[in-house]
Amino acid sequence: MVPDTTTSPRTGRQELLTALGEIEQRVLWLSAATIDHANRVRPNPTGLKVGGHQASCASMVSIMTTLWFHELTADDRVSVKPHASPALHAVNHLLGELPAEALTTLRSFGGLQSYPSRTKDPDPVDYSTGSVGIGATAPIWGALARRYVEGRFPGAGTGRQYALLGDAELDEGACWEAVQDPMVAGLGEVVWIVDLNRQSLDRVVPALSAERLAGMFEAAGWQVLTLKYGEQLTELFSRPGGEALRTRLDTMGNPEYQRLLRCTPAELRDRLPGTGSTREPLERLVATLDDDALHSAVRNLGGHDLGALLDAYAAIDDTRPTVILAYTVKGRGLHSEGHPQNHSSLLTRDQLADLATRTGADPDDPWRPLPDGAAARLCAERAGELRRPPVERIAPPPVPTDFGRTPGGTGTTQQAFGRALLDLSRSAPEAAARVVTVSPDVSSSTNLGGWLNKVGVWSPTERVDWFADDAETILHWRENPTGQHVELGIAETNLVGLLGELGATWSRWGQPLLPIGIMYDPFVNRALEPWQFGIYAGGQSLLVGTPSGVTLAPEGGAHQSITTPSLGLEQPGCTTWEPAFAQDAEWCVLAALSLLGRPDGGSAYLRLSTRPVDQSLAAVPADPAARERRRRQAVAGAYGLRRAEGTPDVTLAAMGAMVPEALAAADRLASLGVAADVVCVTSPGLLFRATQARRGLDDAPQWVLDQAFPAERAAPLVTLLDGHPHTLAFLGTVHNTPVTPLGVTHFGQSGALDEVYRHHGIDTESVVRAALDLTHRP
């Protein structure tokens, strides 16, 4: 049970509830009318279904009304379930944040988005939602990001982080991965409100148990508040036969309850008492109710009781996360309420007119303002209280482009990454202070040890390092509020969820961070969808996948990544680099960091390897001007690593760990009288954009194509990478030359490196054969 709040600082309790009730009805009308206009009023010459979710909005209007028009502060942030997008726009319209004409643009080109979008909707949207589970968990990572920023760069303030989600959304495993992460239990500003309408897209959920859900949240350390019944039902429970009514409703299955919502009063009088011991006392109780009272009683659930919702908000314990399980009716107040297939159903014209009558709206003037009175005054008052001042954005500190030293000996690009972070802390401490690294329990195995020892691990409070005096401890786990590394549990979706929110602090609070997430490359695909959603919402981050490819020869099977190299070709807002040498890795890391925390920036993906490579093969120019030219080419996508004398017979374009094979093949080909150029590709995505720009389909710079693949040296191409060969196959279009793409197209095998390369046809022998075939040599 939750305590009662009897007064409001603004007005008396009953006056407040009356005003909220009028606003609630207007939100219900506006959300339904917005969807109706998109489907039935706006011209649709193609006849393609527009869609919308009137029922999903209806189940949320009570929760959203009490939140926005009573509970929220300007510092709070709310993630709204995707299908309640029209209800959010209705709320923003009543708060003066969205003109009436915008309500006519739902799902139109350039108009209101199908689901809430921070970057595309014109009105205030705190979190982009649309993919099940991601919107629910985003406020958790938003809370952690706010705490991190506030601890290091004060100004992010306080405020709760709310998630409004449907009960079916809890089927998504990402929700529970986030709920139980060790970092979450202390985030008292996190509040989830579950729209417990017991329906999914296709059906009534047969076995949903709020008690089971409550137990799972409680086990993770969350406060659980359950709002099951409203004031009317609660009063009926106190009457003779009331306990039988409570028992009957508590033990009733979800489908049976939903069927009651579709019954006439006469049918209700027969069905509600049931067939067991409750029937006789329930028949007597039901006989005391008129039809209207009986009709309203069966749908009088806590998630639609405005007073119960206000009481629940007042009972939130801000020392730990809270979940409010609010029982609701999907489609409440609509003719489709409770129907198992009402998910995307539309009201008929007559049903919409009836809704207008019941809500005090006008179907001929659907966007008419609220009449003067308490509700309109409350809207105006709340608009002022919730309006946020413009964010004053701080520009991120400059990131150097080159540390000025050339790695020698034998090394890996993964090692170069860890060294680059340490060099950044020495060469550009202001930029390094903005770096925050995140990993899922793989810090030591991805060469972050030196960085962690230097900057420490972030924790809301300082914790004792009990191994600080252990002489054999190399990685020092110093946890305190000033640390710059966040260690999560082994759940990649949590990592990229946090990465997206850390990457959005520049737009939320004006404080730019340079967030870097590190995970094993074979698991990047698992994390792509939530990371993509973070990019869509304006989160800018660097995702590092390492180690990668079948170059992980002993790992075998599916532990060798295949498709990740082409990510930069396919993911909007993301640049991919896969360097071959330590020097290239350093340059690419710095280039990626320079993209972060700015309105014109973007995210990046860095694919690294643990293959030791002789760094002299990079042939980094000693002359400063030539070195800078090489650096610009490397971060732009490719550079000519070796040029044959005279006109080449073939060009070998290789990427990442496979560049040594391309160089060895060029030597073999030269001994056979075949002149081969070798081009080191660092970013297939940037090269593809350059080829698109040549056709007028992009505004990317094209100069890198002229320098890496000069027209006068055009020749048949062999492309080579430790990944799917389609990644570089497009390079044949640069000069319309024949191309043979070599790469990995099937699951890996364990073995020695030369055996694995030979198995996949990416060894030196395979490159030589492909080149001879292209040049038609005997």
Side-chain angles (χ1 to χ4, degrees):
M1 295 293 293
V2 295
D4 182 36
T5 54
T6 57
T7 61
S8 163
R10 271 187 294 276
T11 183
R13 170 86 167 186
Q14 190 53 52
E15 288 82 358
L16 171 64
L17 293 177
T18 300
L20 289 173
E22 186 176 347
I23 295 171
E24 173 193 34
Q25 291 300 296
R26 187 52 58 98
V27 173
L28 175 63
W29 164 256
L30 287 173
S31 60
T34 297
I35 297 168
D36 181 78
H37 189 281
N39 285 272
R40 292 207 171 98
V41 180
R42 192 171 66 228
N44 182 11
T46 67
L48 187 69
K49 176 186 174 183
V50 176
H53 303 86
Q54 291 173 331
S56 294
C57 290
S59 67
M60 289 292 295
V61 294
S62 307
I63 294 169
M64 295 178 69
T65 297
T66 50
L67 265 183
W68 267 269
F69 296 95
H70 182 269
E71 187 64 22
L72 294 182
T73 72
D75 285 334
D76 297 336
R77 298 290 188 274
V78 187
S79 170
V80 178
K81 75 173 188 177
H83 293 159
S85 170
L88 175 60
H89 297 310
V91 167
N92 282 334
H93 169 66
L94 293 175
L95 291 171
E97 297 285 1
L98 193 68
E101 56 268 23
L103 297 177
T104 68
T105 68
L106 179 69
R107 300 192 174 205
S108 66
F109 186 79
L112 299 177
Q113 298 300 295
S114 306
Y115 310 123
S117 172
R118 284 193 73 220
T119 56
K120 294 183 179 295
D121 276 319
D123 52 330
V125 174
D126 293 329
Y127 290 97
S128 296
T129 61
S131 185
V132 173
I134 294 176
T137 57
I140 289 177
W141 313 124
L144 205 156
R146 187 205 60 77
R147 286 199 181 198
Y148 183 91
V149 168
E150 181 64 18
R152 297 187 63 82
F153 311 103
T158 58
R160 288 175 178 166
Q161 302 280 335
Y162 291 88
L164 310 184
L165 62 152
D167 48 12
E169 200 163 1
L170 292 174
D171 290 344
E172 179 58 58
C175 291
W176 300 107
E177 287 183 344
V179 164
Q180 61 80 43
D181 191 276
M183 275 288 183
V184 174
L187 299 177
E189 62 268 48
V190 172
V191 180
W192 281 15
I193 306 177
V194 180
D195 172 19
L196 204 73
N197 60 44
R198 294 175 275 191
Q199 283 188 237
S200 60
L201 191 150
D202 291 329
R203 61 175 181 162
V204 177
V205 179
L208 177 69
S209 168
E211 292 76 14
R212 179 176 61 85
L213 293 176
M216 294 167 71
F217 279 104
E218 288 171 345
W222 288 49
Q223 177 192 24
V224 179
L225 302 174
T226 300
L227 300 182
K228 188 168 187 179
Y229 300 119
E231 182 179 5
Q232 182 185 3
L233 272 177
T234 301
E235 190 277 328
L236 285 177
F237 295 154
S238 67
R239 297 185 186 182
E243 280 303 315
L245 176 60
R246 181 191 289 271
T247 300
R248 171 82 168 114
L249 292 175
D250 281 346
T251 58
M252 185 181 295
N254 295 332
E256 183 182 4
Y257 171 77
Q258 295 283 112
R259 184 63 185 89
L260 293 180
L261 302 175
R262 310 294 300 170
C263 289
T264 65
E267 290 171 329
L268 267 178
R269 295 182 189 281
D270 178 60
R271 287 175 179 259
L272 180 58
T275 58
S277 60
T278 61
R279 184 169 183 84
E280 184 176 340
L282 273 183
E283 284 180 330
R284 291 195 296 268
L285 177 61
V286 166
T288 67
L289 305 176
D290 61 29
D291 286 352
D292 288 342
L294 182 59
H295 177 273
S296 63
V298 296
R299 47 191 38 80
N300 181 230
L301 300 182
H304 299 302
D305 189 302
L306 302 179
L309 285 163
L310 296 184
D311 295 341
Y313 304 150
I316 292 173
D317 176 3
D318 286 319
T319 67
R320 54 179 174 152
T322 295
V323 60
I324 300 174
L325 301 175
Y327 280 77
T328 61
V329 173
K330 190 165 184 175
R332 182 178 183 268
L334 306 181
H335 283 262
S336 62
E337 66 178 3
H339 194 280
Q341 280 84 53
N342 67 4
H343 182 76
S344 57
S345 65
L346 294 172
L347 298 179
T348 66
R349 180 59 56 199
D350 289 343
Q351 290 169 348
L352 191 73
D354 178 66
L355 178 65
T357 300
R358 289 187 286 109
T359 59
D362 182 355
D364 296 322
D365 186 11
W367 324 121
R368 185 182 66 188
L370 282 166
D372 290 340
R377 289 193 297 273
L378 181 56
C379 288
E381 180 182 343
R382 292 297 290 157
E385 293 171 350
L386 294 178
R387 192 156 294 127
R388 298 166 186 160
V391 174
E392 296 183 12
R393 293 174 180 164
I394 297 174
V399 176
T401 59
D402 190 348
F403 293 133
R405 59 173 180 77
T406 304
T410 298
T412 74
T413 53
Q414 179 178 290
Q415 291 169 341
F417 165 70
R419 188 166 54 246
L421 290 181
L422 291 175
D423 287 344
L424 184 70
S425 65
R426 289 188 285 264
S427 301
E430 289 187 1
R434 298 275 172 173
V435 171
V436 52
T437 55
V438 187
S439 72
D441 202 32
V442 295
S443 301
S444 57
S445 58
T446 54
N447 284 88
L448 279 183
W451 169 255
L452 261 66
N453 286 341
K454 184 173 182 61
V455 303
V457 178
W458 183 83
S459 173
T461 58
E462 188 162 1
R463 298 175 180 173
V464 176
D465 179 6
W466 293 103
F467 287 85
D469 58 349
D470 187 329
E472 296 184 8
T473 297
I474 299 175
L475 182 63
H476 300 290
W477 207 257
R478 295 178 291 107
E479 297 180 86
N480 55 65
T482 63
Q484 289 180 246
H485 175 78
V486 182
E487 187 90 355
L488 299 176
I490 304 176
E492 286 77 11
T493 55
N494 287 351
L495 180 143
V496 294
L498 175 57
L499 207 58
E501 291 306 316
L502 290 169
T505 59
W506 66 274
S507 59
R508 289 198 192 280
W509 301 293
Q511 290 288 355
L513 296 176
L514 308 181
I516 305 173
I518 305 96
M519 67 175 64
Y520 291 160
D521 198 67
F523 308 139
V524 164
N525 282 334
R526 186 183 303 172
L528 281 184
E529 190 209 4
W531 189 52
Q532 168 185 281
F533 230 82
I535 295 173
Y536 172 73
Q540 299 170 359
S541 60
L542 169 57
L543 180 62
V544 179
T546 183
S548 64
V550 300
T551 298
L552 278 172
E555 298 288 347
H559 216 63
Q560 300 169 345
S561 52
I562 297 173
T563 61
T564 50
S566 63
L567 178 58
L569 296 170
E570 297 140 4
Q571 175 59 56
C574 171
T575 302
T576 290
W577 282 286
E578 184 169 346
F581 302 106
Q583 183 64 78
D584 296 349
E586 172 195 298
W587 288 335
C588 292
V589 168
L590 297 176
L593 293 178
S594 71
L595 296 174
L596 306 180
R598 52 194 347 116
D600 60 343
S603 294
Y605 162 64
L606 199 63
R607 190 177 192 246
L608 303 180
S609 174
T610 49
R611 183 186 185 184
V613 173
D614 179 0
Q615 298 302 306
S616 68
L617 296 176
V620 178
D623 180 82
R627 178 188 176 95
E628 173 59 14
R629 181 173 183 268
R630 167 68 72 82
R631 186 199 66 80
R632 290 183 69 246
Q633 292 172 338
V635 299
Y639 58 88
L641 180 56
R642 183 182 297 179
R643 299 298 192 197
E645 293 185 11
T647 303
D649 298 304
V650 67
T651 297
L652 310 179
M655 186 166 74
M658 305 311 304
V659 170
E661 272 60 40
L663 291 170
D667 291 338
R668 290 267 300 275
L669 289 167
S671 69
L672 298 172
V674 177
D677 281 356
V678 178
V679 176
C680 180
V681 175
T682 53
S683 176
L686 290 177
L687 294 184
F688 181 73
R689 289 193 60 192
T691 63
Q692 292 288 85
R694 280 190 172 181
R695 301 173 58 206
L697 301 177
D698 205 317
D699 59 358
Q702 305 173 40
W703 61 265
V704 65
L705 296 178
D706 298 326
Q707 293 190 9
F709 302 95
E712 65 273 14
R713 300 189 70 81
L717 270 166
V718 177
T719 62
L720 177 67
L721 74 151
D722 185 357
H724 200 283
H726 86 273
T727 305
L728 298 179
F730 73 92
L731 289 176
T733 67
V734 174
H735 295 300
N736 294 320
T737 54
V739 59
T740 297
L742 302 179
V744 180
T745 58
H746 47 276
F747 290 120
Q749 296 284 341
S750 297
L753 202 59
D754 57 344
E755 294 173 322
V756 171
Y757 283 176
R758 188 179 311 115
H759 171 73
H760 289 284
I762 55 175
D763 59 333
T764 300
E765 292 281 339
S766 298
V767 178
V768 171
R769 285 197 302 270
L772 292 176
D773 288 342
L774 273 177
T775 55
H776 305 292
R777 297 302 174 99

